[in-house]
Amino acid sequence: CIYVKPACKMSRFKTSKYKNAFSYVYKKEFWVNDLNVGSNLKSNGNHIAASTDYIAFTHDCTSLGSFAVLPLESCGRFSSFPQVAGHSGFVTDFDFSPFHPRLLASGAEDRLAKLWELPEGGVSGVYNSPAATFGPFEARVESLLFHPTANNVLGISADKTVRVWDVEHQAEKYALGGHEDVVQSFSWHGNGSMLATICKDNREKKLRLFDPRAGSCTGEAKVYSGLKDSRVLWLGDSNRVLTAGFSITRDATLTLWDVQNMGKPITSVTLGSSTGGPMLFYDEDSKIVFAAMKSEATIHFYELTEKSPYLSQGPHVYRSPVAHKGMAMVPKRAVDVMAGQVVRLLQLTQNAIVPIGYHVQRKSYSEFHQDLFPDTASGVPAMTAEQWFQGANAQLSKVSLDPAKYKKTKPKATQEDPDGGTSPISPISPTSPTSPTSPTGSSTTSSSRGTPDLTPGGAQGKARTRSPKLLNIVRSSKFRHIEGHAMHRSTHIDKIPKLSTTVPGDSNSFVVNRDRVAAALAMAGGQIGVFELSKPGRLDTDDVPTLQNTANVMDFTFDPFNNRRLVVACEDARIRVWNIPEGGLTTTLTEPEFFLIGHQEKPNALAFHPQASSLLASAGYDGRLLVWNVDTQKVAITLDPLREPLFAMAWGPDGKHLATISKDHVIRIYDPRSSTHPVKEGAGPEGSRGARIVWLDDNHLVVSGFSKTSVRTLSLYDTRDLSTPKSVIATNISPATFIPYYDPDTRLLFVSGKGDNTILAFEYVSDKEPFLHDVSPYGCGSLHQGIGFLPKVVCDVKRVEIARAIRLCQTSVEGVFFTVPRAKTEFFQDDIYCETRITWEPALTAAEWLRGMNATQRCISLHPKGMKPCEALLPCDQMSQPGHSVVMK
């Protein structure tokens, strides 16, 4: 009798490799500790994001406009965190480019989105130089998401619209509207051909599908009735979309949809009641879905299947001892493949960032398990932005995660030794899928953590391919990272009397020159305080000598060629010319040197000629625009009456033309010696709050003003064609007009307004849009009521100082200076300092200019004797390059 073994029956169920994946929390020494995330995280974002190299996260939510950035493998305790700062409101969301690990987009409550290229070696201190700014939008930015296959394409949701931007050319390509309320979340299809949004519409959440290039909505469905936040996630290249939201009973629910049949969902899963917003993550390689709720402590784990139940819950549900504030999923190329780690999440808690790995148990981890790690997205874009905009679709190339296919040169990781030295750390064991230990209590970066680097010649850790070239908009500039510094307290003038609030916002209430400053005070009779910069310290508030004008002050300015002459326009229609005694005021003066009488109503704008001595332009509410010869005390030229009162005016750097901007929103260019009529006219900023004007060179000027929605703007115009601005930079919302100052030597434009605590700076590049490029702003320690810049000659070139300003604060006068970071400051930086014009000496007299003569000031070198140069000093005739005024010796 022969026994025959019966054949085994085939299982009706497909066995999953990932079903029993277990979570492993990294040891505490590998956490990022000492965070203070805060409790008021008022946005739909995840508050943390990761690339293959960096993590960005919310830190200290009371510090508006900033977030922290660390290398991905950072761990330990930190006394402070490197900050990325540039917004003026709470940062609502951020996202890394899938193709550039150092390229990061952020959005905030200031209605702006910004693009950042993180420095090569990481962020240190405060990094505040965005590569680009998008907006402002009609409401705050809710979320941002880079395109999954096309390079340099970014989606931004703000107000009721999702906008698709060409990042490199800083142009909005598509706007997907039709939503009845704020778009809370959106997600790209795996190949980027479609886009899904979820929005609160009349107290019901609607899921919509868009073809962004056609601008059409291809399907929609009502998904939730609850009032709380909802999320949407397109599951890779499939036809399935996952949503997360709340029912009327406040139960959090996951809902799976087939985009080809939006009539009803495929399935729904209840996660239980919750108070926080949902967060969704999907690993396309393993078909695993993770769901977590803010303010909860559970991470739900589901496998996506083709048949019922479609969302198969894993047996291992992770429950944290602390609540989530946010969460991010690390890109697949950065997971620890040699420990069976298929996914790594970063949990943001109130006080730490906790890495959580999901691992598949295997008998041995000595070999690479190909069945667990199929080839994954390479991190190289499948196409350019232009190709996608023209209608192309493409799949990302794949890369193997097998370390054996790459050259490995694993450095020895080290840790602190009790004897004070260092000792090698052994590789991780199969039962402990954590990283090698870093020094406890130190803010260090581990290069491995057991994560094999698959870069040729790199350390064992991350699988990489050649990174594509970064954006062309990231410029190389000597001035991009200028630094601002407050001058020592010993230079301050303290106990300034109460400042006047009656001076018009578009006029000067604070002016400076090399010797002294003048400020309008809240004293009867339109009094102006004049304070000597050479006499810092506390003032005697009981006896402050002033200039008493007997009428309210409308505007005032110093004569650029006579530091003792102050000209004041007053409400009684007279212009007073004061002569300040040598050494400053010692007693109150009640009688000016003389009056300039020619206006019938109050004058509100004054401007001295930049080349000719004693030549002054004035404008008033009577519509009169006059050019005075101050020496003769007579009107030399009367220009055509203005239709509306003037906001501001400015002479061109060569002194031939006068530019004005009025309340009728028209920019006018005059050639006063040839015609009383404007030679050019064009539309200025649309806002009605006010404006200022400054020339950059003989053919370009910038108008600081407001948009219709009260956003402060900087508009660049070519005076040869004022029909439309060449560029408009939108900044933030504030009632104060920007006060501009332009340095032709460095081509830097500085702007700030009354009540601001930040000085913004832009570099003028005449041949590269948007022509005015962001450089590092300077955050002051307090608000200022006025600001003025001093001549270039006061700068200390030995510390590479390029500009110095004086700030009028509420009760003090304080200095600030700007420097260019350089390693060898013992050398004269002749690539920074060209010869500069002597702006404090006239090139001709008023009479000569009125007879038709033209001239410009001579130049001098700032090179101190005995200081070795780095390169040959730039001659003055090289100043005629774009962005500089032509100057002559």
Side-chain angles (χ1 to χ4, degrees):
C1 179
I2 300 175
Y3 173 75
V4 180
K5 184 178 180 181
C8 294
K9 292 183 179 180
M10 183 177 293
S11 173
R12 294 185 297 114
F13 302 99
K14 183 179 178 180
T15 305
S16 168
K17 298 182 290 289
Y18 308 104
K19 180 179 181 181
N20 294 312
F22 64 94
S23 58
Y24 188 95
V25 180
Y26 282 52
K27 293 181 179 178
K28 194 167 184 177
E29 57 261 36
F30 300 114
W31 299 6
V32 176
N33 295 295
D34 295 338
L35 271 65
N36 179 24
V37 174
S39 58
N40 192 22
L41 301 182
K42 45 188 177 181
S43 78
N44 299 322
N46 289 348
H47 308 303
I48 182 169
S51 72
T52 55
D53 290 351
Y54 292 95
I55 51 175
F57 55 96
T58 300
H59 173 63
D60 186 8
C61 68
T62 60
S63 178
L64 292 180
S66 67
F67 54 95
V69 173
L70 288 174
L72 176 63
E73 306 298 343
S74 296
C75 57
R77 304 177 70 90
F78 290 79
S79 57
S80 62
F81 291 90
Q83 298 279 318
V84 173
H87 290 283
S88 59
F90 177 76
V91 178
T92 54
D93 197 21
F94 29 77
D95 186 44
F96 281 99
S97 167
F99 313 120
H100 308 287
R102 294 189 289 115
L103 198 62
L104 175 66
S106 64
E109 288 186 331
D110 60 4
R111 309 191 301 175
L112 297 175
K114 291 180 181 284
L115 194 71
W116 310 86
E117 183 203 349
L118 303 180
E120 191 79 44
V123 178
S124 60
V126 178
Y127 183 74
N128 48 20
S129 296
T133 300
F134 312 116
F137 307 107
E138 293 183 4
R140 76 175 190 177
V141 175
E142 295 292 335
S143 56
L144 311 102
L145 203 57
F146 277 97
H147 194 280
T149 60
N151 198 24
N152 299 334
V153 176
L154 177 67
I156 302 172
S157 74
D159 49 73
K160 302 175 184 179
T161 308
V162 176
R163 295 171 172 85
V164 180
W165 283 73
D166 180 345
V167 168
E168 187 163 348
H169 297 95
Q170 302 183 47
E172 182 182 310
K173 290 292 189 178
Y174 312 116
L176 309 178
H179 304 91
E180 298 177 14
D181 210 322
V182 173
V183 178
Q184 295 181 325
S185 174
F186 72 97
S187 181
W188 294 97
H189 182 275
N191 68 4
S193 61
M194 297 289 289
L195 186 144
T197 69
I198 195 164
C199 168
K200 176 184 172 183
D201 292 85
N202 294 326
R203 301 178 67 88
E204 289 186 339
K205 304 295 174 59
K206 279 189 179 180
L207 170 67
R208 290 179 174 87
L209 307 179
F210 287 90
D211 180 345
R213 290 169 291 192
S216 59
C217 179
T218 61
E220 67 176 50
K222 295 180 180 179
V223 287
Y224 301 111
S225 301
L227 299 177
K228 294 185 180 180
D229 297 340
S230 299
R231 283 293 185 94
V232 62
L233 179 65
W234 207 305
L235 300 179
D237 290 329
S238 71
N239 289 325
R240 295 181 179 182
V241 170
L242 185 68
T243 60
F246 293 85
S247 66
I248 296 179
T249 58
R250 297 188 178 183
D251 287 331
T253 305
L254 294 182
T255 309
L256 186 65
W257 299 85
D258 184 342
V259 299
Q260 296 178 339
N261 181 14
M262 300 285 285
K264 64 177 182 178
I266 298 173
T267 188
S268 294
V269 177
T270 300
L271 303 181
S273 61
S274 177
T275 58
M279 298 176 288
L280 297 176
F281 307 95
Y282 178 62
D283 176 37
E284 189 170 11
D285 297 342
S286 60
K287 303 293 188 291
I288 296 177
V289 172
F290 296 92
M293 311 299 294
K294 297 174 187 175
S295 302
E296 300 294 328
T298 302
I299 301 177
H300 302 271
F301 161 33
Y302 296 90
E303 271 195 280
L304 180 67
T305 62
E306 293 296 326
K307 297 181 180 180
S308 181
Y310 302 106
L311 290 174
S312 176
Q313 185 167 12
H316 301 287
V317 177
Y318 172 71
R319 291 180 174 83
S320 170
V322 292
H324 318 305
K325 290 291 186 179
M327 194 168 294
M329 187 165 72
V330 174
K332 196 61 172 278
R333 302 188 310 281
V335 301
D336 189 350
V337 295
M338 297 309 292
Q341 184 183 92
V342 291
V343 171
R344 194 201 313 178
L345 300 177
L346 299 177
Q347 180 198 24
L348 179 68
T349 70
Q350 176 65 40
N351 304 114
I353 296 174
V354 182
I356 304 169
Y358 280 79
H359 300 257
V360 176
Q361 187 71 44
R362 289 294 167 96
K363 291 181 179 180
S364 172
Y365 294 102
S366 59
E367 295 181 355
F368 177 72
H369 293 277
Q370 182 67 51
D371 61 321
L372 294 182
F373 301 100
D375 291 355
T376 194
S378 64
V380 176
M383 55 188 159
T384 65
E386 187 62 31
Q387 289 171 329
W388 185 77
F389 291 133
Q390 291 175 356
N393 291 318
Q395 297 291 336
L396 291 174
S397 59
K398 301 287 187 177
V399 63
S400 172
L401 294 173
D402 186 357
K405 295 185 178 180
Y406 297 84
K407 180 181 177 182
K408 296 183 296 182
T409 55
K410 180 180 177 180
K412 287 185 177 180
T414 58
Q415 66 177 3
E416 287 185 354
D417 187 271
D419 297 327
T422 60
S423 60
I425 301 175
S426 59
I428 60 171
S429 65
T431 57
S432 178
T434 61
S435 57
T437 312
S438 74
T440 303
S442 63
S443 54
T444 60
T445 335
S446 168
S447 63
S448 56
R449 286 204 193 190
T451 306
D453 187 349
L454 308 188
T455 309
Q460 182 182 2
K462 305 170 190 172
R464 299 174 186 250
T465 57
R466 181 178 298 176
S467 178
K469 186 179 179 181
L470 279 176
L471 294 173
N472 292 330
I473 61 173
V474 180
R475 304 174 303 105
S476 175
S477 168
K478 296 186 289 286
F479 305 108
R480 188 175 171 209
H481 300 292
I482 62 171
E483 297 175 348
H485 311 269
M487 297 189 69
H488 193 269
R489 189 174 181 84
S490 62
T491 65
H492 296 182
I493 301 174
D494 295 316
K495 296 294 183 180
I496 300 291
K498 187 177 180 180
L499 303 175
S500 172
T501 58
T502 61
V503 178
D506 306 306
S507 302
N508 294 319
S509 60
F510 178 67
V511 293
V512 306
N513 63 31
R514 293 171 62 185
D515 298 329
R516 54 189 58 89
V517 302
L521 304 178
M523 296 181 178
Q527 298 188 52
I528 295 176
V530 179
F531 312 109
E532 302 296 304
L533 292 175
S534 60
K535 299 177 181 179
R538 291 189 175 186
L539 299 176
D540 182 358
T541 54
D542 295 330
D543 185 22
V544 177
T546 63
L547 303 176
Q548 197 168 68
N549 292 280
T550 68
N552 286 339
V553 173
M554 297 298 295
D555 193 24
F556 55 96
T557 184
F558 278 117
D559 187 331
F561 311 121
N562 182 353
N563 288 351
R564 294 170 54 200
R565 174 180 284 175
L566 183 70
V567 179
V568 184
C570 295
E571 245 183 9
D572 60 1
R574 297 193 290 180
I575 299 173
R576 291 161 170 80
V577 181
W578 297 89
N579 188 44
I580 299 166
E582 192 72 41
L585 292 179
T586 57
T587 185
T588 295
L589 301 184
T590 57
E591 289 295 327
E593 187 178 1
F594 54 86
F595 295 91
L596 299 177
I597 301 176
H599 285 283
Q600 297 173 357
E601 292 187 39
K602 53 189 176 184
N604 67 316
L606 302 170
F608 270 103
H609 195 279
Q611 305 288 346
S613 62
S614 299
L615 199 70
L616 175 74
S618 69
Y621 277 59
D622 54 1
R624 304 194 75 191
L625 185 55
L626 309 176
V627 178
W628 299 81
N629 185 335
V630 179
D631 287 340
T632 63
Q633 305 176 32
K634 293 182 179 179
V635 175
I637 300 173
T638 301
L639 300 176
D640 286 352
L642 298 167
R643 302 185 188 97
E644 295 283 346
L646 205 69
F647 278 140
M649 60 183 171
W651 291 95
D654 59 3
K656 296 179 182 179
H657 297 94
L658 179 68
T660 68
I661 177 72
S662 307
K663 289 187 177 181
D664 58 4
H665 312 296
V666 176
I667 301 171
R668 297 177 175 87
I669 308 293
Y670 295 88
D671 184 349
R673 292 176 296 185
S674 64
S675 174
T676 60
H677 305 292
V679 295
K680 294 284 184 182
E681 289 188 352
E686 297 176 328
S688 58
R689 285 182 177 272
R692 292 279 186 126
I693 196 165
V694 64
W695 291 74
L696 305 187
D697 55 36
D698 294 338
N699 294 314
H700 294 89
L701 54 81
V702 167
V703 177
S704 67
F706 295 85
S707 69
K708 282 185 176 180
T709 56
S710 299
V711 175
R712 291 196 287 192
T713 61
L714 297 171
S715 303
L716 173 67
Y717 290 87
D718 187 328
T719 58
R720 293 162 293 192
D721 181 10
L722 294 175
S723 59
T724 183
K726 292 180 65 176
S727 176
V728 177
I729 305 296
T731 57
N732 56 6
I733 296 177
S734 174
T737 308
F738 275 136
I739 303 169
Y741 168 79
Y742 181 68
D743 176 18
D745 297 348
T746 58
R747 293 183 285 184
L748 291 178
L749 173 68
F750 297 89
V751 297
S752 192
K754 299 176 183 178
D756 289 353
N757 63 354
T758 301
I759 302 172
L760 303 180
F762 302 86
E763 184 176 6
Y764 172 50
V765 181
S766 60
D767 57 355
K768 186 174 179 61
E769 292 185 2
F771 308 112
L772 295 175
H773 298 268
D774 287 304
V775 299
S776 300
Y778 171 65
C780 310
S782 59
L783 304 178
H784 46 246
Q785 303 305 311
I787 188 168
F789 280 77
L790 300 179
K792 196 65 167 284
V793 72
V794 306
C795 294
D796 184 356
V797 300
K798 294 183 179 180
R799 61 185 179 191
V800 202
E801 182 181 340
I802 59 169
R804 186 180 299 184
I806 305 296
R807 300 170 57 233
L808 174 65
C809 301
Q810 195 64 40
T811 60
S812 64
V813 171
E814 304 174 5
V816 58
F817 62 93
F818 296 86
T819 62
V820 177
R822 285 294 168 96
K824 297 182 179 181
T825 56
E826 66 271 19
F827 294 98
F828 178 67
Q829 311 294 321
D830 37 20
D831 63 323
I832 297 291
Y833 299 104
C834 62
E835 293 184 331
T836 189
R837 284 191 302 171
I838 303 179
T839 57
W840 53 95
E841 291 182 2
L844 67 171
T845 65
E848 290 171 335
W849 185 85
L850 291 169
R851 289 198 300 267
M853 293 180 60
N854 293 311
T856 53
Q857 292 109 334
R858 63 189 179 90
C859 294
I860 61 169
S861 169
L862 296 177
H863 189 172
K865 291 183 179 180
M867 194 174 186
K868 294 181 180 180
C870 290
E871 299 173 1
L873 185 65
L874 290 175
C876 193
D877 56 10
Q878 289 189 13
M879 289 285 289
S880 59
Q881 58 182 300
H884 288 72
S885 300
V886 179
V887 290
M888 305 170 66
K889 289 186 178 179

